[in-house]
Amino acid sequence: MKNEELTNEEFSGDELLQSDIIRLGSATARSSKGCIHCLTIIGQIEGHILLPPNNKTTKYEHVMPMLAAIEESDDIDALMILLNTVGGDIEAGLGIAELISGMKKPTASLVLGGGHSIGVPLAVSAKKSFIAPSAAMTIHPVRLNGVVIGVPQTFTYFEKIQERIVAFVTENSSVDRDTFVRMMLKTGELTTDVGSVIYGEEAVNCGLIDALGGLSDALDYLHGEIEKRREKK
């Protein structure tokens, strides 16, 4: 996604839809069942540091205001998040996840390919989470790149960040704390690393993800929630 300055006024109709897909990896689908905005979170979650141009990235400065606009829009009924991410910046990922979890509109996430590292909080942030049978999720402790100062305060900082992730995941899913921490600290499964890789059915069985399914399952859930909201009105 390039940092091109384009305004919605430059496009209309299908052109605007196509421009959103190209620039932001998102699209809004309208039907008689309701209006659903589809947001893709792919590649690496980019934080405060700009990643090389050959990296596939999701930029938090694009996603955060978009989520606020979706929640406030009278035209959009629900949000679907498609996830295929290797993880990335912890604070950017948690910030996006917090925004999604705080939305009142129906939200559904679908893990496709991978929902690794900080992608785990993003997957569970929706009101209903789905995972494809072939999809994988990597759960591991907090890691930082670059120079690390070897003092007790550094390790305390690591622990606090990790606790934020554990707390968010356990509050927004059915997995219990001990199980999640055990998967996070497991040895012998990842080469030169600590943690676990779990796949579709296993993610559901441990309570991390709500249901095994695909695109139609996520859409059926959102259509059902939209209908419930219409009946209440």
Side-chain angles (χ1 to χ4, degrees):
M1 291 180 286
K2 298 180 180 178
N3 294 325
E4 296 175 348
E5 293 297 328
L6 299 175
T7 63
N8 289 349
E9 287 73 22
E10 297 174 10
F11 301 92
S12 61
D14 293 337
E15 290 180 323
L16 177 57
L17 176 62
Q18 185 176 6
S19 74
D20 283 343
I21 295 173
I22 294 172
R23 289 183 300 150
L24 305 175
S26 67
T28 301
R30 294 177 175 84
S31 71
S32 58
K33 297 178 181 179
C35 180
I36 298 175
H37 188 90
C38 177
L39 171 67
T40 58
I41 297 179
I42 60 168
Q44 192 164 348
I45 311 299
E46 189 176 82
H48 304 302
I49 298 175
L50 193 66
L51 293 172
N54 60 326
N55 284 35
K56 286 279 187 181
T57 63
T58 297
K59 300 179 184 294
Y60 77 103
E61 70 270 26
H62 289 170
V63 176
M64 285 184 168
M66 183 187 297
L67 291 172
I70 292 168
E71 176 73 352
E72 188 65 14
S73 173
D74 292 330
D75 298 324
I76 297 175
D77 299 308
L79 170 67
M80 180 167 66
I81 306 106
L82 301 180
L83 278 162
N84 187 9
T85 177
V86 296
D89 187 275
I90 294 171
E91 292 191 346
L94 271 181
I96 295 171
E98 289 283 9
L99 279 176
I100 295 171
S101 68
M103 295 178 70
K104 292 183 178 179
K105 289 184 177 179
T107 57
S109 64
L110 175 58
V111 181
L112 300 160
H116 305 294
S117 192
I118 201 63
V120 175
L122 287 165
V124 304
S125 63
K127 291 179 174 62
K128 181 86 170 181
S129 57
F130 296 86
I131 186 169
S134 62
M137 303 183 80
T138 302
I139 303 164
H140 62 73
V142 170
R143 300 174 301 189
L144 294 180
N145 295 325
V147 178
V148 177
I149 302 174
V151 295
Q153 292 89 335
T154 299
F155 297 103
T156 300
Y157 175 65
F158 278 19
E159 289 177 358
K160 288 182 178 179
I161 294 178
Q162 193 160 293
E163 177 55 34
R164 289 162 59 193
I165 295 171
V166 172
F168 183 88
V169 171
T170 53
E171 288 171 7
N172 288 274
S173 71
S174 299
V175 68
D176 65 83
R177 179 186 176 85
D178 290 342
T179 300
F180 186 72
V181 171
R182 185 169 62 252
M183 290 190 293
M184 181 181 284
L185 302 178
K186 186 176 181 179
T187 59
E189 184 167 328
L190 299 179
T191 305
T192 69
D193 202 355
V194 176
S196 305
V197 179
I198 60 176
Y199 295 89
E201 189 173 353
E202 187 178 358
V204 175
N205 290 339
C206 74
L208 184 61
I209 299 297
D210 294 323
L212 203 65
L215 179 61
S216 60
D217 299 295
L219 287 172
D220 286 344
Y221 164 76
L222 290 176
H223 290 148
E225 293 300 303
I226 292 170
E227 184 63 28
K228 289 178 185 177
R229 289 168 65 94
R230 286 177 175 174
E231 290 175 356
K232 287 182 180 179
K233 292 180 180 180

